[in-house]
Amino acid sequence: MGRLLEVKGLRTQFFTQDGVVHAVNGISYTLDERETLGLVGESGCGKSVSVMSLLRLIPQPPGKIVGGEAWFDGRDLLSISEDEIRQVRGNRIAMVFQDPMTSLNPVLTIGSQIGEALQLHLGMSRDQARKRSIELLEMVGIPMAADRIDDYPHQFSGGMRQRVMIAMGLSCNPQLLIADEPTTALDVTIQAQIVDLVKRLKEEVGMAIIWITHDLGIVAGLANRVAVMYAGFIIEMADVKDLYGDPRHPYTLGLLRSIPRLDMDHKAKLTPIEGMPPDLLTGPVSCPFAPRCQYVIEKCTKENPLLEPVARNHYVACWVDVKKKG
């Protein structure tokens, strides 16, 4: 499989009245064709901003991409023209957002909203787009799709609206689907259905996926590789089995210990991560996790570690070997 996306040193900042918010601080990663990358971290760590930057959807001002490259199909997404990025958006790279109700237009029918991308990017006629829209709704498991295509978003449940958003995302056969916490607002059974749907469609359509979430449980059965973000940095990146079986960053350990597991003793308590997320208004100097870390040493408070390999395809940004500490 070939390389599809290569992000190098991406930095995004927001210039506000209170100061400069360092939202994304020089992250780098690659994505192969048909691969699924899980981007994990708590709210405010820069997950969504990092992928919105790739599609140049950051509101400018106050936001600004201040550094980096994002190579996709031989072009740097951060330096191509507005017209060129519009051709990529929704066509080659599609995005599904967290809340479908704010992403769908409440006064347009579902059919017209899916059809718009088909007519714009693929040059279909209105009738062709309508027929394809019905096929896409059937593909994502909406019953009686031909009858529902003229309905409005408010006539669908939350789970069905998210299916519509996935249908819109897949409408132009993208090479990359970015899913930004698409199951957060749904109950657990519907979450599982959406995850299974995306896994099935990935095989059928043959696309790569970046799945953004704060839930490590979802990523386990979905991703090939996982990148853990904290305070705008990638602090650990590994194949999914290695990340769960051999986590090397104290933050990753903390995330895993705070998730209920079926193999845990029912009397065992979940361990919270003490402290508060960092203030992104102060520029990164030391390790951003140091104030909350149980393994902290003096060097952590003076210098921010780089993401370095610790095993095959396993990278960690930490001054302490937590494996030796037990």
Side-chain angles (χ1 to χ4, degrees), residues 113 164 171 205 272 324:
Q113 293 187 62
V164 169
S171 59
V205 179
K324 287 181 182 174

Side-chain angles (χ1 to χ4, degrees), residues 274-292:
E274 301 290 345
M276 296 290 288
D279 180 5
L280 297 180
L281 284 168
T282 54
V285 180
S286 59
C287 171
F289 190 62
R292 306 172 73 183

Side-chain angles (χ1 to χ4, degrees), residues 114-180:
I114 301 175
E116 184 181 16
L118 295 167
Q119 290 171 268
L120 178 69
H121 289 302
L122 302 184
M124 288 187 178
S125 68
R126 186 175 288 185
D127 286 345
Q128 286 173 322
R130 183 181 174 85
K131 187 179 174 198
R132 176 65 178 148
S133 297
I134 293 170
E135 288 173 5
L136 285 162
L137 291 179
E138 287 171 345
M139 193 180 188
V140 296
I142 290 186
M144 299 187 296
D147 298 330
R148 303 295 317 261
I149 195 158
D150 294 319
D151 286 351
Y152 291 86
H154 72 270
Q155 294 172 276
F156 289 77
S157 68
M160 287 297 176
R161 282 197 290 265
Q162 200 54 279
R163 287 171 187 266
V164 169
M165 286 299 300
I166 292 168
M168 287 176 74
L170 297 178
S171 59
C172 297
N173 295 323
Q175 291 166 282
L176 171 59
L177 179 72
I178 298 173
D180 188 1

Side-chain angles (χ1 to χ4, degrees), residues 9-259:
L10 176 65
R11 292 169 62 231
T12 304
Q13 297 175 353
F14 290 87
F15 297 84
T16 71
Q17 288 179 325
D18 297 325
V20 179
V21 178
H22 300 79
V24 180
N25 295 311
I27 65 170
S28 302
Y29 60 89
T30 60
L31 184 73
D32 290 341
E33 293 169 353
R34 294 173 174 260
E35 184 184 19
T36 300
L37 175 70
L39 206 52
V40 179
E42 61 197 56
S43 298
C45 73
K47 308 183 299 292
S48 297
V49 172
S50 69
V51 292
M52 301 271 272
S53 299
L54 301 183
L55 292 174
R56 307 240 296 267
L57 291 171
I58 298 293
Q60 300 185 38
K64 188 178 181 186
I65 299 164
V66 294
E69 301 169 5
W71 291 93
F72 177 80
D73 203 21
R75 292 184 295 175
D76 179 10
L77 298 175
L78 306 185
S79 62
I80 57 178
S81 69
E82 278 296 327
D83 285 342
E84 285 178 293
I85 196 73
R86 269 198 292 269
Q87 287 301 313
V88 172
R89 249 187 246 139
N91 184 15
R92 311 288 298 285
I93 302 176
M95 193 157 176
V96 178
F97 293 94
Q98 182 170 341
D99 182 6
M101 207 54 200
T102 55
S103 307
L104 293 166
N105 189 324
V107 298
L108 294 177
T109 66
I110 293 298
S112 64
Q113 293 187 62
I114 301 175
E116 184 181 16
L118 295 167
Q119 290 171 268
L120 178 69
H121 289 302
L122 302 184
M124 288 187 178
S125 68
R126 186 175 288 185
D127 286 345
Q128 286 173 322
R130 183 181 174 85
K131 187 179 174 198
R132 176 65 178 148
S133 297
I134 293 170
E135 288 173 5
L136 285 162
L137 291 179
E138 287 171 345
M139 193 180 188
V140 296
I142 290 186
M144 299 187 296
D147 298 330
R148 303 295 317 261
I149 195 158
D150 294 319
D151 286 351
Y152 291 86
H154 72 270
Q155 294 172 276
F156 289 77
S157 68
M160 287 297 176
R161 282 197 290 265
Q162 200 54 279
R163 287 171 187 266
V164 169
M165 286 299 300
I166 292 168
M168 287 176 74
L170 297 178
S171 59
C172 297
N173 295 323
Q175 291 166 282
L176 171 59
L177 179 72
I178 298 173
D180 188 1
E181 305 222 28
T183 61
T184 299
L186 307 174
D187 67 55
V188 178
T189 49
I190 306 297
Q191 274 188 19
Q193 289 174 16
I194 297 293
V195 170
D196 286 344
L197 169 68
V198 171
K199 282 164 75 173
R200 177 173 61 80
L201 293 173
K202 179 197 169 190
E203 297 306 318
E204 287 179 19
V205 179
M207 62 191 172
I209 297 173
I210 296 176
W211 188 286
I212 300 168
T213 183
H214 59 266
D215 187 344
L216 272 167
I218 284 179
V219 171
L222 186 70
N224 305 107
R225 276 188 309 139
V226 183
V228 181
M229 282 191 73
Y230 188 80
F233 294 94
I234 291 177
I235 48 107
E236 183 160 13
M237 185 156 50
D239 294 338
V240 68
K241 284 183 180 174
D242 293 335
L243 190 95
Y244 286 83
D246 186 23
R248 295 292 192 94
H249 195 283
Y251 178 62
T252 312
L253 278 166
L255 287 179
L256 289 168
R257 285 172 184 162
S258 63
I259 300 172

